[in-house]
Amino acid sequence: MKMMKRALPLCLALTMTLSLAGCGKKKVKETIPELKETTVTNESYRPVTRGNVGDFVVMPARVVPRAYGQFFDKSQEVSEIYVDIGDYVEKGDKIASADTTEIDETLKNLNRELNNLERDIDQYKESSDLRLEYLEYEKKACLDMNDKAGAEAKEREIETEKENRSYRLNQFEKSESNLSSEISKAKEERDRLILYATHSGYITYKMNLAEGSRRETYENVLMISDYDDIYLEAETVTTNKFGKYRSAAKMEAMINGKKYKAEEDVFSTNANNYASSAEKYPRVRFKVEGATLKLGDVVPIFIYMYCHEDVLMVGNDSIRNDGNDKYVFVADEEGGMEKRPVEVGYSDSIYTEIISGVEEGENVYYLSDSLKPLKYEEVTVERSDYVQYEYSDSAELISTRSDIYGMPETGKFLDNEVAGNKPVESDVKLFSINVNVSEAVLLDKKQAIEQTKKQHEAAVADENKRLEELNEAIENVGKEKAPAATDTDAVRDSLYKKEKLQLEKELLLLEMEQEQDAYDSNIDAMYEEYNKLRNIADNDGVVSVYSKRAGIVRYFDNDYYGRYYYNSNELQKGTPLMAIEYGEADKILVKTIRNTSSSDNEDYTKRRTVARPGTKLYITSGGKELTGECIGNIGDNADNKVYYIEERDGHIYITSCPESIYHDIGTGYFARIDNADMTELGKATSIRFETVSMKDAIVIPKDCVYTEKASSGTVYYVWVKEGDDLTKRFIDYIPDYSSNDSALVLGGLSEGEVIVREEKEAGK
């Protein structure tokens, strides 16, 4: 932003022909035959005019799309990104994932437990049904024998079985509920490791996995921009630095030569409080009434700190002091000067408000050391479009897709098999690690397997023996000698004997099924773990990682990862070590160089800027003039971090987009070329975009602008041709808003006025 020391409407005309009625009262003339003080160094005067007195700020704002951060709520290692810069995504689309290996293993085990439990429940119900049926036969036998006491005893056993069944099923239900709850929590945890688009729009930021996979809490992995929802955003000013301007008298936006009422588009109180407590402030937003905004345009916001509009005023260089009294010298009809007391109001660094003492159109003398040009050429003030550009002559085609490769097991890094920044084919060994698998560990696992097998074999042998006995008993039912009628117990036991033996057999077969299912589930897991460790041990503990596809090797050479490469520290399973950048180079990356020489971080004009998504680009490549558009950014470095506030589902999030370095480029943006093959992008390429843009503005030759030192600092003026004379006219001008030979004038001149510039001697 840039502070101006004056506030004037761009259409203000300061001419002697104005005839509007003044609001001041003319004082009685006092003829001064001989001046006792020096009034001017050269005789110059200008008319009393009406205008605005006050200071203002010009704050450039760009029309940008509303952006939505895509982030994790805790630190994660990002393993895969499924979208690319410029892609359009729908809300709910899967767009990125952190490493889910550990949680997937947990879910696998939990689901296995749940499946086993559900099988146990079904088998228990079936066995309970068989036991109840068996007891019913025994009860029926008692009734057939008129054994009332025996029947009542069996009924009690039946009730006990039912009570036990109810209790056991209740326990099963609790276990099933607990497991289901654990699975739900694990799934929720896994869902938190996967990013789904929270909004529909275009991907305008993507972390570079080839640089590193770590993302801290609320650091964006991606950003989605909605090109149908646009607003004005200050280029450099944050909400906390804007505080001193919130009491401004008014704000206006200059769009296509017209001014529109503007105001801050404020965040909610809760969002502002949260940003303040975290000391992470977003950029200031503006909204404009009645104007049509176009994505990518730069709109200057005029912020009037105080503004007394349409008042009589004279230049500060016309005001003289006599103690506490103020006066001016007014030109009389005879060409002399009259000392005139005046009552003054507000002043800025150029003009002072006159409450009384002179009238509009009267000419007052001003004190000036400035020499009028003797030889000059006239220039008629005209309106035209004024544009400043940010240029870059560094652009290249790259790929932004990468595969992550990390520790397949917990162990120690051994060595690299491929060179960094070099191409590699698919199925090529990348690196090796060492996993410590001792023979003692293998022996323990092998013995556990053998013990489990022996226990299972013994159980199966016992069950088969019992099965043979039952089959034989069933076959012999009715062949044995009938019991004596006096042997009540024997008679009762012989009733329904075959049915009961058949039920015992079904129960045994069910037990055998349960035994086999439990054994199969257990032994498979034991063999899986043993064989994995056995294979590692057989390879001397070395595990190698191979490339999934061809690409360029990128090593993580920062401290977080790089320090592990050359020492003996143990790394946990899943720790990322390198990436392979793959796929066709189909993204244009434009490099910009930030000017860090300015210590004024608020001064937009002193800093190189980066194009924002949607900004129109002008491209010169291979002798062709092309147009394009910025489709994304590569993030913010630590010195230029931007924070984004988003209110989502009743929560407030403050996110940032860390710098993502691509091919050693850390400041830049991605570009798209209209109707052209991006692969034709030549090396001699120039890409530019607008950083200052005013339509239908007052633009004059730069050498028409003169400078002068005042108590408030440097002020700027032009020489205006009025009749046969030249009048010194102060203007609102920012030196940085000048390009080549043109200067943008923000106030003090009107279209059609004539100004002059000195003629330069030949050869100078």
Side-chain angles (χ1 to χ4, degrees), residues 71 73 218 268 270-271 274 644-655:
F71 52 85
D73 58 7
Y218 305 138
S268 70
N270 288 340
Y274 186 45
Y644 303 87
I645 287 188
E646 185 177 343
E647 297 185 57
R648 185 193 304 171
D649 300 327
H651 298 280
I652 299 172
Y653 301 98
I654 300 180
T655 68

Side-chain angles (χ1 to χ4, degrees), residues 18 52 120 165 191 215 218 222 269 275 303 325 368 499 551 594 600 607 735 749:
L18 293 176
N52 300 340
D120 291 345
R165 174 192 176 102
D191 279 343
R215 267 299 179 263
Y218 305 138
L222 299 151
T269 301
I303 302 176
D325 297 327
S368 175
E499 289 85 353
R594 187 170 296 283
D600 182 4
R607 306 175 69 202
L749 282 177

